[in-house]
Amino acid sequence: MSELALDRGRAADRAGSGVFGAAYSTARHQVRRLVNEYPRAFPTFTSSGRWDFEEDPWAPTWSAGFLTGMLWMFSDSDGTGWWRERAEEYSGLLEPRKHDTGTHDIGFLFTPSWGRWHQRFPDDRTRDVLITAGRTMAQRYNPRGRYLSTWVAPGSTFIDVMMNIEVIFQAAQLSGDAELADIAHAHARTSRRFLVRGDGTSVHEGWFDPDTGVFERTATHQGYRADSSWVRGHSWAIYGFTDAFVWTGDPDMLDTARLLADTYIDRTGDALVPPNDWEDPQPPLPHESSAGAIAAAALLRLGDADPANTERYRRYALRLLAALCGPEFLASPGSGWEGVLKHGTYHYNNGVGVDESVMWGDHYFVEALHHVIHGGRQR
Ligand code: GLY
């Protein structure tokens, strides 16, 4: 799409029509249908385009915050109260997970859901849930290695954990407990040191000796190999380091977010929507749309946080978002495809959710659209 068409589209989208406004309506339609047909269910990915309700076959269930987060975003432009009612109901279903010490994905569960609730209607209940969730997440901190461990093992950390530290920063702010903020910041600095390479690519998993804290090696689960670049992890990293900068003001966090963003733009270029792994010499599928959706949302946030580069990141994010709004990626209502974004992949190596809709892809696509339509005012 040309710059002129994008500018016209943006103006139209602010007025509620245009390519982004139309895609937002499509997403809202698909999500309403899911909620009406399968109330109180939290699917993670589709199978042949239909939501799959089996237990997550790979990780401790982690994606329920994304559906809930979309309900909150849709509630912003709803005069009937229907979306807010659903958003509160679904958030309530997640509340017991605030004590879940079996996963590092506490931020994925609580920031899009209770974080959005608190942003819109702060009260003691939302505050207490976020503080408890943040404290639970902080229990994963290893002070010797200065990292937060994953559900895989006490010696493992993932690049995705960068998406789960905001709940700790927020708990620190809401409770006044500065030690929590120190933990989140220390984890981000460790991730910078060991999970971001000199060439601006990122590592999926880092392994430490949990007793001494010594860093041992890199690895991957969903990427091509240990020394390659799993792009969804990279997109999580752009977003996570941007948030770490917003919470701490640490210029190294901003430099890191910029480095990662520039790498995404250089590596993906005019293709806009990346493959699963940039280093895979023969990618089995051309696209992993959820990595693109997360990158679009992250670049918009980075553009807001980095006034010196706002236009550069925003321009690329809008081109990427426009590509995702095209017929190749956006499901068409009535086609029988139940998700929003097609051509996402959860775990190619394990054959889980391959070339399907994945809930986080739908969520960050909606978040990027919401950002454009609402001018970045509400998350
Ligand atoms: N567990 C995070 C992801 O699959 O992206």
Side-chain angles (χ1 to χ4, degrees), residues 58-59 62 104-105 108 151 158 160 204 222 230 232-233 236 288 290 294 345-347 360:
W58 183 57
W62 62 285
H104 62 266
D105 288 322
F108 276 136
W151 52 263
F158 287 172
D160 342 356
H204 184 177
Q222 287 136 292
W230 174 52
R232 187 162 72 250
W236 292 138
E288 203 290 87
S290 77
I294 297 157
T345 288
Y346 181 9
H347 198 315
W360 50 91

Side-chain angles (χ1 to χ4, degrees), residues 38-306:
Y38 309 101
R40 299 162 75 88
F42 290 106
T44 297
F45 54 86
T46 60
S47 294
S48 304
R50 302 194 63 111
W51 288 113
D52 188 314
F53 298 98
E54 297 301 312
E55 181 93 357
D56 189 316
W58 183 57
T61 165
W62 62 285
S63 68
F66 303 127
L67 174 55
T68 312
M70 286 191 278
L71 302 178
W72 278 114
M73 286 187 277
F74 293 142
S75 77
D76 289 341
S77 43
D78 170 34
T80 69
W82 188 88
W83 289 102
R84 179 172 172 188
E85 235 173 78
R86 300 285 96 65
E88 290 194 13
E89 179 188 9
Y90 279 56
S91 299
L93 295 173
L94 295 187
E95 186 174 348
R97 302 286 302 275
K98 67 188 178 188
H99 298 297
D100 186 348
T101 53
T103 180
H104 62 266
D105 288 322
I106 295 297
F108 276 136
L109 290 165
F110 283 89
T111 297
S113 57
W114 285 84
R116 284 201 173 96
W117 189 346
H118 185 76
Q119 189 192 26
R120 284 156 181 75
F121 309 106
D123 63 15
D124 286 352
R125 180 173 177 214
T126 56
R127 177 182 169 278
D128 291 350
V129 167
L130 288 167
I131 291 174
T132 304
R135 286 197 192 287
T136 298
M137 181 67 199
Q139 286 178 43
R140 310 191 75 80
Y141 187 62
N142 180 316
R144 293 168 294 283
R146 300 174 66 77
Y147 66 90
L148 293 152
S149 65
T150 69
W151 52 263
V152 172
S156 149
T157 196
F158 287 172
I159 192 70
D160 342 356
V161 176
M162 283 301 297
M163 290 296 285
N164 289 280
I165 61 175
E166 180 166 11
V167 72
I168 306 181
F169 281 125
Q170 190 163 23
Q173 185 189 59
L174 294 173
S175 65
D177 182 350
E179 210 180 306
L180 287 171
D182 290 345
I183 286 174
H185 195 181
H187 174 84
R189 295 192 68 82
T190 303
S191 299
R192 171 65 184 94
R193 182 164 178 217
F194 295 113
L195 302 185
V196 181
R197 303 186 183 104
D199 68 354
T201 60
S202 51
V203 168
H204 184 177
E205 185 178 35
W207 280 88
F208 296 78
D209 179 326
D211 298 323
T212 61
V214 171
F215 183 76
E216 292 177 334
R217 66 188 168 89
T218 65
T220 190
H221 295 266
Q222 287 136 292
Y224 172 59
R225 59 185 207 193
D227 61 349
S228 70
S229 303
W230 174 52
V231 186
R232 187 162 72 250
H234 193 93
S235 299
W236 292 138
I238 303 170
Y239 198 123
F241 279 101
T242 299
D243 272 353
F245 169 66
V246 170
W247 280 97
T248 61
D250 176 351
D252 288 349
M253 300 291 110
L254 179 59
D255 284 348
T256 305
R258 284 182 187 144
L259 174 67
L260 292 158
D262 293 345
T263 302
Y264 182 100
I265 293 170
D266 290 348
R267 294 265 169 147
T268 313
D270 289 337
L272 301 165
V273 185
N276 188 59
D277 193 311
W278 283 310
E279 259 72 52
D280 189 336
Q282 290 182 304
L285 295 163
H287 298 119
E288 203 290 87
S289 62
S290 77
I294 297 157
L299 291 171
L300 289 169
R301 289 175 69 71
L302 178 56
D304 285 352
D306 184 12

